[in-house]
Amino acid sequence: MLRILRSLGLATLSMVMFLTLAPSAHADSAVAATRTAVGGGTGIVFQRTLDPDRPTGYYVCTLTAVGRDAAGNLVALTNAHCFYDDQGNKLVGLEVYRDASPAGTATAPAPLEDSRPDLETGAIGTVTYVSTPNNLLNLGPKGLDYAVVRLDESAVAPTDTVGDTTITDIGAPPANGTRMCKQGHRTGLTCGIKLGTHGIWFTHLIWTDGGDSGSPVVFGQTLVGNAWGAQHSSPIVDILADMNANGGVGAGFHLAS
C-alpha cells in the first residue's frame, strides 16, 4: 500500500512539474500579445542629432520589410539616407522607435510634426548597417540606399500586413507599364505604373512624401523594392544580394511573419 501511495505521489509530482515546466501555447500567445506588431509600411522615429549642444528633433521614415537573417536575428530594412548626419557620417548604433502617430493617406498625409516615438513599447531596434545613399541629386557615389535594423524581439513581433498592404513574397520588379503600389506611413497606399530603369534603380509614378522613405514597393503581395523618393526605388533583390555579399546582420534575409 505504501508503495502504491509513493507511486501515486511521484506521478502527481511529475504531473505538477510537467504542467509547470512544459511550454504553454496560451503563454506564448500572451507573450506575443504584449509585443508591438511591425512590418513593411510601419513608420519609425529616431533622433539623428546626437550633439547635446544642438537642438534635437525627430526624423521619420518607413520600414521596407521585417524578416530573419541566416543567424535567426529578427531584422528590418529601410532607407540608408535616414541615418546620415549633416556631416555625412553613418549613424550605426542609433536606436529607432515605432512612430505612434496615425498613418496618413495620399489625400490627408500624416503631419510630420505629429510624429512621436512609441515610448510604451520603447526602442524597437538598433541600426546595424547603413549602405551608400542614392545621392541622386549630388555628385556622390550612387548607392542602393538601404539600412538594416536589428529588432528587439522582446518588444516587437513581425507582421506581414500593415495598412492596405500584405507582403508574402520577394521578387524582381515587374515589366514596364505594370501597376505597383507602396505603403508609407506618411501617405499610406499609393500606386502607379513602372516607367523603366535609371542606373541601379527603377522608376515609377508612385507618389511618396517626406516620411515615406523606405516604403515597400509591391506588385500584388510581392515585395519588389524600397522607395526613397523622386519616383525612384531600389530593387529588393539587389539589396538582398548586397547584404549577402557584405555578411553580418541581415545576410540571408527572408520574410518573417
Side-chain angles (χ1 to χ4, degrees), residues 207-232:
W207 171 248
T208 61
D209 206 343
D212 287 330
S213 293
S215 296
V217 177
V218 297
F219 172 55
Q221 295 187 346
T222 299
L223 176 67
V224 298
N226 75 341
W228 46 259
Q231 282 68 58
H232 281 65

Side-chain angles (χ1 to χ4, degrees), residues 64-134:
T64 309
V66 171
R68 293 194 181 276
D69 64 12
N73 297 307
L74 188 66
V75 298
L77 306 179
T78 186
N79 277 165
H81 72 256
C82 302
F83 303 111
Y84 276 81
D85 65 16
D86 294 339
Q87 288 72 47
N89 301 308
K90 296 179 179 182
L91 300 179
V92 172
L94 193 69
E95 289 186 332
V96 300
Y97 293 76
R98 187 184 70 89
D99 191 340
S101 68
T105 65
T107 56
L112 290 175
E113 60 271 19
D114 288 353
S115 292
R116 59 191 185 277
D118 175 3
L119 297 179
E120 182 177 350
T121 299
I124 64 171
T126 304
V127 178
T128 60
Y129 180 80
V130 178
S131 80
T132 302
N134 60 80

